[in-house]
Amino acid sequence: MTLGITQSVALLGLDGAVVTIEVDIADGLPMYSLLGLPDEALNESRDRVRAALINSKEVWPNKKVTVSLSPAWLPKSGSAFDLPIALTLLMAQGLIPKDEPGTTIYLGELALDGQVRSVRGVLPAVLAAKKYGFTKALVPFVNYAEAKCVSGIDVIAITSLHDALNYLRSGEVPDSPEAIQQLLDGQKEIT
C-alpha cells in the first residue's frame, strides 16, 4: 500500500479544525497534485518539501504523488502543512512507521535545507488538537513555549526534519528548550 496519513490543524481565525493529510504514490508520469482548497503559500509547499527531503538525504518519489487535505471544503492556508506533508510522503513510501490516527498533530514550515521554521497560530492549533483528543504535538523548536501553554498534551520540539524523522523512527525525543536551558545554566555554574 502506498498511502500515508497524518494530521494537522487549519485555523479559521482563532478556531482550529483537524485536517487529515493523505498522500498516495502511484505509478505513472512523475507529478505532484495538491487537493483540498490550498492557498498560494500551501501550493508552494511542493518545492519546499522536495528540497527539504533531498537535502536531508531522504527520498523524493519519481512517481505520481497525490496529496489530499481533508475536509476538502475547508480552506487551508500557510506553510505549517510542510512538515506533515513531508512526513506523510515518507510514510507512504514505507520509510518511516505509519502514524496512529488521532494521536499526534504536526506543524512546521520546512526550509530548503530541512530546518523547521516557526509558524503562526501554534497555541490555537494545539488547543484544537487537545479538544479533539490528540495527545501529542510535534512543533517547531521556536514555537515550543507557545505550545507548552496547553496542559494535557505532550509537546515535542524539533529544529529539523532530521529531528522529526529520528523521533518517528526511534522514539528518541529531542531535547526540549527547557532541558537545553538547564544544561546551559549548569555550564555557567561550573565556570
Side-chain angles (χ1 to χ4, degrees):
M1 181 190 239
T2 58
L3 182 69
I5 300 172
T6 60
Q7 292 172 308
S8 190
V9 175
L11 295 176
L12 294 170
L14 291 176
D15 291 329
V18 173
V19 172
T20 300
I21 296 102
E22 298 173 295
V23 170
D24 177 68
I25 300 172
D27 290 333
L29 290 174
M31 64 172 284
Y32 181 92
S33 179
L34 181 62
L35 312 172
L37 287 181
D39 72 350
E40 193 57 38
L42 188 48
N43 268 323
E44 294 170 351
S45 69
R46 175 195 62 186
D47 297 324
R48 289 189 301 273
V49 169
R50 184 178 188 278
L53 285 171
I54 290 169
N55 289 322
S56 297
K57 309 279 189 274
E58 296 296 331
V59 177
W60 177 265
N62 195 23
K63 296 185 174 203
K64 180 182 177 186
V65 176
T66 305
V67 178
S68 175
L69 307 174
S70 300
W73 57 266
L74 179 72
K76 288 112 190 144
S77 63
S79 57
F81 292 99
D82 290 359
L83 179 65
I85 289 171
L87 296 175
T88 311
L89 192 83
L90 293 172
M91 286 177 191
Q93 295 179 80
L95 298 174
I96 57 175
K98 296 211 175 186
D99 201 19
E100 188 176 323
T103 58
T104 307
I105 63 152
Y106 302 92
L107 300 165
E109 177 183 328
L110 290 174
L112 300 182
D113 65 355
Q115 296 300 302
V116 177
R117 294 182 173 151
S118 66
V119 293
R120 293 182 294 155
V122 169
L123 179 59
V126 174
L127 280 168
K130 181 181 175 187
K131 174 181 152 188
Y132 288 103
F134 287 81
T135 57
K136 293 180 193 167
L138 205 75
V139 302
F141 192 84
V142 176
N143 295 113
Y144 179 81
E146 185 180 353
K148 200 65 182 158
C149 290
V150 180
S151 64
I153 193 163
D154 292 330
V155 178
I156 299 149
I158 56 168
T159 59
S160 66
L161 180 58
H162 181 266
D163 281 353
L165 295 175
N166 189 41
Y167 168 71
L168 292 169
R169 288 175 174 149
S170 70
E172 186 178 316
V173 177
D175 287 334
S176 70
E178 289 135 343
I180 290 173
Q181 189 60 49
Q182 288 174 351
L183 286 172
L184 292 173
D185 291 344
Q187 289 175 350
K188 289 177 189 171
E189 292 172 7
I190 295 171
T191 56

